[in-house]
Amino acid sequence: MSSLQSDAGKASVTLPPFVDRDRVIDVHQVALMLNFSAAHVQRLHRTGKIPRPFKIGGIKNGWRVGTIVDFITAASQMEAA
């Protein structure tokens, strides 16, 4: 079991009603959702262990909230199996 699965399995993601699944978040917000550092999220991205972000500026990457929520849900289901 990877550290990503074990940590993601502990996370409980419930979006407040004002947060849209299509909202774009940066690496720091993804790190908060996954309970990792921003540097670790970037390492996971480089190794292909989290969903791919898209460019939202020159060098800045972004993820959709729904993509990260789905990723956390899938990781926790894999751990439970």
Side-chain angles (χ1 to χ4, degrees), residues 5-14 32-35 72-73 76:
Q5 290 174 340
S6 64
D7 289 345
K10 296 176 188 172
S12 174
V13 178
T14 303
L32 286 172
M33 288 181 74
L34 296 176
N35 199 26
I72 293 170
T73 301
S76 64

Side-chain angles (χ1 to χ4, degrees), residues 12-68:
S12 174
V13 178
T14 303
L15 294 176
F18 61 87
V19 177
D20 184 17
R21 287 180 55 87
D22 290 331
R23 178 178 175 193
V24 177
I25 57 176
D26 67 6
V27 67
H28 300 287
Q29 293 165 323
V30 172
L32 286 172
M33 288 181 74
L34 296 176
N35 199 26
F36 291 142
S37 68
H40 189 61
V41 170
Q42 291 170 336
R43 281 191 296 273
L44 293 171
H45 161 249
R46 283 194 303 269
T47 59
K49 294 181 180 178
I50 63 172
R52 292 185 65 181
F54 55 91
K55 291 286 185 190
I56 57 175
I59 60 171
K60 193 167 185 170
N61 291 321
W63 288 261
R64 299 220 183 271
V65 169
T67 302
I68 300 302

